């Protein structure tokens, strides 16, 4: 069916989810068929209650516990049948054209081999976010663990394409997961998101698998959204760092050789905590210092339970 199934994974997003849904409702008619599925990961702030009515079908799935982003996204995707899927963060608001432009591009001859499409993200001050990223290399992940991407960006390029203004269309390795427009045929081909990533890196992993299967990722500068960035994870920085680091190690085990994965693990587990601590203390950020050791304490406690991740 020519249309878009929008999947929003919600977890304690407060009023942001309503604002996101209202922005979708404002774009009704940009594509022929549109459905919205909100998968709520056991929010306790009432954010999934009393959602606004939309001029298109709105389905709410309530998980009894937080099942993570990838698993919840796959669950929402299975509820629809449209040719395209849009995985959208609740801390976004769509601008006019945000649905029609990616849809038309993917339907065009130029987009025939594009599996994933992203759009321009505007920040709270109206600036353009540097939101597209490179596929990680072994050296880059080790350099990031040491903070070299911030100290010596010429030697260790940062994860995001910060040197590019994001004001033109281009192919990229990965578009931001906050607006992840995917051809359903590609999503089905790859078996959806890898649910072993609880949160973070599942979109990067998906983009890499799509690239290896011959599908491009395309950034469209003409289509825009507002993205608050960080979302509710701003409120839980230690937990966010824990999940981010855990997913990074899982990604390394899955996509690099065993020796490379060991090198990355050694850098992350042994060198990253002191590097982060020195950076935080050097700037007088005591809270960041405490959060670093909270996050790595949880990570050390979980070692040995993640298993091998090749597949």
């Amino acid at each position: 069916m020519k249309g878009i199934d929008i999947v929003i994974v919600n977890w304690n997003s407060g009023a942001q989810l309503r604002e996101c849904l209202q922005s979708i409702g404002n774009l009704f008619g940009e594509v022929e068929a549109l459905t919205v599925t909100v998968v709520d990961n056991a929010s306790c702030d009432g954010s999934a209650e009393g959602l606004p009515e939309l001029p298109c079908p709105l389905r709410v799935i309530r998980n009894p516990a937080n099942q993570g982003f990838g698993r919840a996204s796959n669950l929402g995707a299975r509820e629809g049948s449209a040719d395209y899927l849009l995985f959208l963060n609740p801390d976004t608001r769509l601008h006019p054209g945000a649905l029609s432009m990616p849809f038309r591009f993917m339907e065009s001859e130029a987009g025939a081999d594009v599996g994933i499409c992203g759009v321009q993200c505007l920040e709270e001050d109206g600036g353009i976010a540097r939101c597209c990223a490179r596929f990680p290399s072994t050296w880059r992940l080790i350099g990031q663990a040491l903070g070299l991407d911030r100290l010596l960006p010429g030697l260790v390029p940062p994860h995001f394409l910060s040197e590019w203004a994001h004001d033109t269309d281009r192919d990229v390795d990965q578009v931001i997961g906050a607006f992840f427009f995917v051809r359903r045929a590609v999503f089905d081909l790859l078996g959806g998101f890898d649910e072993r990533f609880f949160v973070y890196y599942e979109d990067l992993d998906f983009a890499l698998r799509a690239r290896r299967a011959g599908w491009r990722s395309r950034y469209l500068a003409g289509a825009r959204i507002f993205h608050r960035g960080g979302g509710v994870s701003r409120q839980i920085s230690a937990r966010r760092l824990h999940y981010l680091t855990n997913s990074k190690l899982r990604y390394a085990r899955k996509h690099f050789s065993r020796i490379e994965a060991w090198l990355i693990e050694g850098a992350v587990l042994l060198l990253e905590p002191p590097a982060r601590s020195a950076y935080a203390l050097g700037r007088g950020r005591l809270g960041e210092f405490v959060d670093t050791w909270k996050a790595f304490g949880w990570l050390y406690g979980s070692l040995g339970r993640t298993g091998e991740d090749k597949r």
Side-chain angles (χ1 to χ4, degrees), residues 160-274:
F160 290 101
L161 295 168
S162 55
E163 73 280 8
W164 167 47
H166 284 59
D167 55 356
T168 55
D169 296 358
R170 63 177 279 187
D171 284 3
V172 296
D173 287 346
Q174 184 216 353
V175 302
I176 191 170
F179 185 103
F180 209 68
F181 194 94
V182 183
R183 197 180 295 276
R184 183 180 285 275
V186 176
F187 193 79
D188 292 343
L189 173 70
L190 300 180
F193 291 111
D194 185 338
E195 298 181 0
R196 292 170 296 180
F197 294 91
F198 186 78
V199 67
Y200 300 120
Y201 277 73
E202 66 284 308
D203 48 353
L204 182 62
D205 167 76
F206 186 93
L208 179 59
R209 290 189 287 133
R211 173 71 62 84
R212 288 173 175 170
W215 293 93
R216 299 155 53 207
S217 290
R218 185 73 175 177
Y219 171 86
L220 299 179
R224 298 182 178 88
I225 64 168
F226 164 75
H227 180 219
R228 188 177 303 277
V232 294
S233 63
R234 282 176 170 176
Q235 307 164 22
I236 50 169
S237 56
R239 190 64 69 180
R240 177 182 182 277
L241 177 59
H242 166 66
Y243 287 134
L244 184 65
T245 308
N246 195 43
S247 290
K248 184 188 301 180
L249 296 180
R250 187 175 293 280
Y251 182 93
R253 295 186 197 109
K254 181 174 180 179
H255 293 296
F256 294 95
S257 71
R258 182 165 295 184
I259 292 176
E260 290 173 316
W262 284 345
L263 290 173
I264 293 167
E265 284 191 10
V268 169
L269 296 175
L270 301 177
L271 303 179
E272 184 166 341

